[in-house]
Amino acid sequence: MTDLAAPDAPAPAEPTAPEAGRRPPEPAFAPARATTAGDPFPLGATVLENGTNFAIFSDNAERVTVCLFSEDGAREVERIDLTECTNGVWHGFLPGVEAGALYGYRVDGPWAPEAGHRFNANKLLLDPYAKELAGPLVWDESLFGYRIGAGENADLVMDERDSAAFMPKARVVSDRMSPVNRPGVPWPKAVIYEAHVRGLTMQHPDIPERQRGTFAALSSPALLNHLHRIGVTVVELMPVQAFLQDQHLVDRGLTNYWGYNTLSYFAPEPRYLSAGDRDEIRETVDRLHEAGIEVILDVVYNHTCEGNHLGPTLSWRGIDNASYYRALPDNPRYYDDLTGCGNALDTNHPRVLQMVLDSLRHWVQAYHVDGFRFDLATTLGRLPGGFDPRHPFFQAILQDPVLGRLKLVAEPWDVGPGGYQLGNFPAGFSEWNGDFRDVVRDFWTSREGTLGPFATRFAASHDLFGGGHRRPWSSVNFVTAHDGFTLHDLVSYSEKHNQANGEENRDGHSDNRSWNCGTEGETEVEGILALRRRQTRNLLATLFLAQGVPMLLAGDETGNSQGGNNNAYCQDNEIGWVDWSRPDPDLVDFIRRLADLRLKRSSVARAEFLTGRRDERGRPDVTWFASTGERMTAEEWSMPHVKCLTVRLSPSRRGEPVLAVMLNGSEIDVIFTAPPGSAGWALVLDTADGERSEALAPGETCTVPSRSMRVYETRQT
């Protein structure tokens, strides 16, 4: 056996790692203040009389130190070890530390990446429970726990440089709770408006420039009036929790615009505060509540901004990598990347689950939000054997007295094995219905074989959501969302045009199910423009008249375009911002009419699934007719070339009219026969010609132009 300590021993091929637990030299601080044990609950920094209690979870740490900084965050002025550890929570009460103090952590423990441990006390770490951040993150090699450039196995070699100068600091704050008066919008009356805090208002001419791009702008009279006009009852905001600007984007002069790269689950993104005051969020939400509009947040608990094993050490990785993240079972050096973002938080760990629940409650209680949309929610419900709708994550939320009553929406997929879980989430969670998007796009581009799937999606996707005592609002329907084409671009581009992202147009989906109506991109040919306007109305009418919950992408009502970019995640500029300079009053008026129909007609927004069964008056809640006016047959449902359908919808409330929706998804004009209706039919909506009026007797015929929809109504006697 070779004596590796012998003088003639060969040098190692790679630099050796420093000893586990090696700490940076400590500056000459004043004598450490006297501390007491404090309390392990609650986690985070809690302001008390005469000081602050600090508590942080790390099951595998050997030493945890609070680092206090000067008011400007430039100098580390004190280090205090937390000597008490209760059930994995390190805690202590620091007298004299008041609200406003800046702090971070250094955490010692084993440096053993191959065993899943990446402790490095040279790195300043953000408190996972930090409620406010001070200062930016400045990219520097010292932010990485390993030595960049140390060879193929660089991540095994500890970096000894201090990262504090380049890290944002956490600020000690006191939460100010206040009463909340929620609108309580019933799910059947919900019309969701997906928006980006910054992008929605950056170019709005009627909002003061100093407020644009911030929470304050969301409650401006101009925007509230607009939301009322188009019938919005729920605003869904893209991520507002503090997020990281990716180094590869910064190096290319771009930014992480969307925000799906969380740096702190409790702190708001500082750029979204017009004056730096967190109260602005609550005040904005309260004003939206006064206007009858709820607010739900898009939250990203599936992964963090620390990336894969070659990412920076900013918080969770350095606090307790093995506890916070899902590792490959046979090689914990690497993460089980179920998200495509380098890592995945391990919601099977009780302390990680606690962090998520505490974060959700914080946003509800401190800022009064009304619900959440969970990004890549399949990851959150994964046990070691795969996705399970009975996962403790879902059970904990649904039984929680604060969270269980909120609007909860899952994005039902991730990139791991068996990741597409549409329809498999538990009752109490609604889901983004990606099948609705795809099938509706296919139907209106006249693809064959879509009639049956279209009818199923139009009727709230009972095949997906009909079990487990779920309701029609389990299906959140959409034809466009932030991830993909805008509605204008969906009918104007057949191919993606993402060159501005700097990835040679390789990013973004290629299967968009879009159609440019005859020419790629912008045009002045009136025939093409008229067809695009009709297709826009078709898609919108389908969205609003379908059972389930409609979600409208912000800007679609103004004809907003991203120039064919279907992945504007890094475009914090005119590409990604809503363009208010080309208002389309006709389109806004059309959406208003659709929203009014949905609000006033119980046949459109039912609380129960359509079954075809008759009510006490002998009327079936839904009947499907062929264009001939006869009931659809099983043979017709299976014919791939059939692209026409009439849907008769009965109301659930007495005295309301019955609706008949004629849909022609074919490339030719089709003669329709009006279905039975005792008092005849009056035209209320036409996607081909919005100005015309018409009355039909039962059995009378009319010509429905190609790729168009008509809605008639009548009253039963």
Side-chain angles (χ1 to χ4, degrees):
M1 184 173 181
T2 304
D3 182 1
L4 296 181
D8 58 350
E14 298 288 348
T16 57
E19 294 178 5
R22 180 177 294 179
R23 298 173 64 87
E26 296 196 7
F29 297 128
R33 69 185 72 203
T35 63
T36 58
D39 200 303
F41 181 84
L43 292 168
T46 305
V47 179
L48 303 171
E49 186 177 1
N50 301 322
T52 297
N53 189 82
F54 289 84
I56 182 172
F57 164 74
S58 181
D59 215 17
N60 294 291
E62 297 169 355
R63 183 181 177 188
V64 175
T65 304
V66 177
C67 305
L68 300 178
F69 287 81
S70 58
E71 290 185 7
D72 60 3
R75 292 181 300 107
E76 189 174 359
V77 297
E78 191 172 355
R79 292 181 184 174
I80 307 99
D81 285 343
L82 300 180
T83 57
E84 295 291 329
C85 184
T86 304
N87 299 327
V89 176
W90 299 74
H91 54 93
F93 176 78
L94 276 57
V97 176
E98 301 176 344
L102 303 185
Y103 73 100
Y105 283 102
R106 298 185 189 274
V107 182
D108 261 343
W111 172 261
E114 290 171 310
H117 299 304
R118 294 181 178 272
F119 292 98
N120 187 339
N122 299 283
K123 309 306 172 184
L124 187 75
L125 305 172
L126 273 179
D127 183 356
Y129 278 68
K131 296 176 181 176
E132 185 174 314
L133 304 186
L137 181 142
V138 179
W139 280 106
D140 184 81
E141 287 188 1
S142 66
L143 295 171
F144 295 80
Y146 65 94
R147 193 178 305 169
I148 291 179
E152 182 179 350
N153 294 314
D155 71 296
L156 303 181
V157 182
M158 179 186 281
D159 182 273
E160 297 185 42
R161 288 171 289 186
D162 190 343
S163 65
F166 306 96
M167 280 288 294
K169 314 304 185 292
R171 190 187 305 277
V172 176
V173 298
S174 296
D175 284 327
R176 294 182 288 275
M177 302 298 179
S178 62
V180 57
N181 185 18
R182 303 182 187 280
V185 177
W187 263 122
K189 297 305 179 185
V191 175
I192 300 175
Y193 187 75
E194 190 197 20
H196 188 285
V197 171
R198 185 167 166 84
L200 179 62
T201 61
M202 280 299 291
Q203 300 189 97
H204 199 297
D206 297 326
I207 294 176
E209 190 169 349
R210 68 181 183 280
Q211 291 185 348
R212 294 178 190 174
T214 69
F215 273 95
L218 298 180
S219 59
S220 66
L223 191 59
L224 289 178
N225 290 338
H226 175 76
L227 295 176
H228 277 148
R229 186 176 182 190
I230 59 176
V232 170
T233 59
V234 180
V235 171
E236 178 181 310
L237 296 177
M238 291 171 65
V240 302
Q241 295 169 338
F243 56 88
L244 181 70
Q245 292 299 327
D246 311 64
Q247 186 176 19
H248 71 96
L249 293 176
V250 173
D251 291 345
R252 300 207 308 265
L254 299 171
T255 62
N256 186 320
Y257 169 52
W258 286 351
Y260 293 90
N261 205 27
T262 310
L263 177 63
S264 175
Y265 289 116
F266 291 78
E269 172 58 29
R271 294 189 307 157
Y272 298 165
L273 304 176
S274 62
D277 188 345
R278 293 177 302 121
D279 288 347
E280 179 180 321
I281 304 174
R282 185 183 65 251
E283 292 166 0
T284 294
V285 173
D286 287 349
R287 291 192 188 104
L288 286 163
H289 284 171
E290 291 170 3
I293 298 172
E294 292 183 336
V295 177
I296 63 177
L297 301 183
D298 194 339
V299 286
V300 189
Y301 296 109
N302 57 82
H303 75 280
T304 78
C305 65
E306 291 186 305
N308 64 14
H309 64 291
L310 298 177
T313 295
L314 308 175
S315 182
W316 308 272
R317 174 178 282 138
I319 294 169
D320 195 347
N321 185 68
S323 293
Y324 279 106
Y325 291 115
R326 298 174 188 260
L328 293 179
D330 57 347
N331 193 352
R333 173 183 175 185
Y334 302 107
Y335 299 109
D336 190 0
D337 183 11
L338 302 165
T339 65
C341 300
N343 64 59
L345 279 175
D346 188 3
T347 49
N348 295 307
H349 194 292
R351 291 295 187 181
V352 178
L353 180 58
Q354 178 188 0
M355 178 188 71
V356 174
L357 295 175
D358 288 347
S359 168
L360 293 171
R361 290 191 208 95
H362 173 68
W363 286 91
V364 173
Q365 294 171 331
Y367 300 119
H368 298 173
V369 302
D370 304 285
F372 301 94
R373 179 264 193 190
F374 296 92
D375 182 65
L376 299 184
T378 297
T379 297
L380 303 174
R382 282 186 181 270
L383 293 169
F387 177 80
D388 189 338
R390 295 165 296 181
H391 191 284
F393 172 81
F394 304 122
Q395 295 180 355
I397 289 177
L398 292 172
Q399 64 78 42
D400 189 282
V402 173
L403 304 177
R405 66 184 66 185
L406 304 176
K407 286 185 168 65
L408 306 170
V409 182
E411 183 184 38
W413 48 79
D414 67 13
V415 302
Y420 196 73
Q421 292 292 332
L422 178 63
N424 293 330
F425 283 73
F429 278 79
S430 299
E431 303 176 38
W432 270 28
N433 192 340
D435 280 13
F436 180 94
R437 170 200 60 206
D438 295 344
V439 168
V440 169
R441 290 183 180 188
D442 285 347
F443 179 80
W444 288 113
T445 53
S446 302
R447 295 194 183 187
E448 293 192 344
T450 60
L451 189 64
F454 175 87
T456 302
R457 300 295 160 251
F458 191 79
S461 300
H462 183 272
D463 60 326
L464 297 172
F465 304 110
H469 303 288
R470 301 184 76 181
R471 309 291 285 274
W473 57 78
S474 298
S475 179
V476 174
N477 303 326
F478 63 101
V479 291
T480 56
H482 71 271
D483 187 5
F485 282 139
T486 67
L487 186 57
H488 173 90
D489 291 354
L490 185 67
V491 301
S492 303
Y493 294 90
S494 295
E495 305 293 337
K496 63 182 181 181
H497 296 269
N498 298 352
Q499 288 81 1
N501 296 353
E503 300 178 42
E504 298 181 349
N505 206 34
R506 293 190 301 267
D507 62 304
H509 294 291
S510 296
D511 181 20
N512 294 288
R513 292 172 160 86
S514 60
W515 179 45
N516 63 24
C517 297
T519 191
E520 189 75 355
E522 301 305 318
T523 183
E524 296 182 0
V525 178
E526 180 53 37
I528 293 175
L529 293 175
L531 180 55
R532 289 177 178 177
R533 289 192 292 269
R534 182 185 300 184
Q535 287 287 76
T536 297
R537 292 191 292 267
N538 288 334
L539 293 163
L540 288 170
T542 304
L543 176 66
F544 274 80
L545 297 178
Q547 304 295 315
V549 178
M551 185 182 79
L552 181 69
L553 174 64
D556 278 354
E557 75 278 15
T558 70
N560 184 58
S561 173
Q562 293 177 170
N565 191 321
N566 73 350
N567 189 34
Y569 77 102
C570 57
Q571 300 298 329
D572 188 5
N573 51 44
E574 289 81 0
I575 294 175
W577 301 339
V578 173
D579 182 4
W580 297 92
S581 67
R582 299 185 302 169
D584 188 341
D586 291 338
L587 184 58
V588 169
D589 183 66
F590 183 76
I591 294 174
R592 180 190 58 77
R593 293 165 59 197
L594 289 171
D596 283 348
L597 267 177
R598 188 168 187 87
L599 177 66
K600 299 173 182 177
R601 300 291 181 260
S602 61
S603 55
V604 176
R606 299 181 70 96
E608 305 293 341
F609 283 102
L610 299 172
T611 63
R613 291 193 292 267
R614 297 180 182 274
D615 60 17
E616 68 278 3
R617 302 184 66 187
R619 302 178 308 187
D621 53 9
V622 63
T623 313
W624 309 92
F625 296 93
S627 59
T628 59
E630 301 295 325
R631 297 279 187 95
M632 286 286 291
T633 65
E635 182 181 9
E636 287 174 313
W637 281 119
S638 63
M639 290 180 178
H641 64 277
V642 175
K643 304 171 186 176
C644 300
L645 182 69
T646 297
V647 189
R648 189 178 66 187
L649 297 166
S650 298
S652 59
R653 295 192 296 256
R654 286 182 174 273
E656 289 187 7
V658 177
L659 295 185
V661 183
M662 296 180 178
L663 301 126
N664 180 10
S666 69
E667 304 93 328
I668 59 173
D669 298 352
V670 173
I671 296 175
F672 277 69
T673 300
S678 60
W681 302 97
L683 183 67
V684 295
L685 196 77
D686 185 353
T687 64
D689 184 355
E691 301 301 322
R692 62 191 304 275
S693 59
E694 182 180 74
L696 291 177
E700 188 176 353
T701 62
C702 64
T703 300
V704 178
S706 64
R707 296 193 180 94
S708 70
M709 176 194 305
R710 289 183 181 177
V711 181
Y712 294 84
E713 68 177 18
T714 188
R715 293 186 179 276
Q716 298 281 43
T717 57

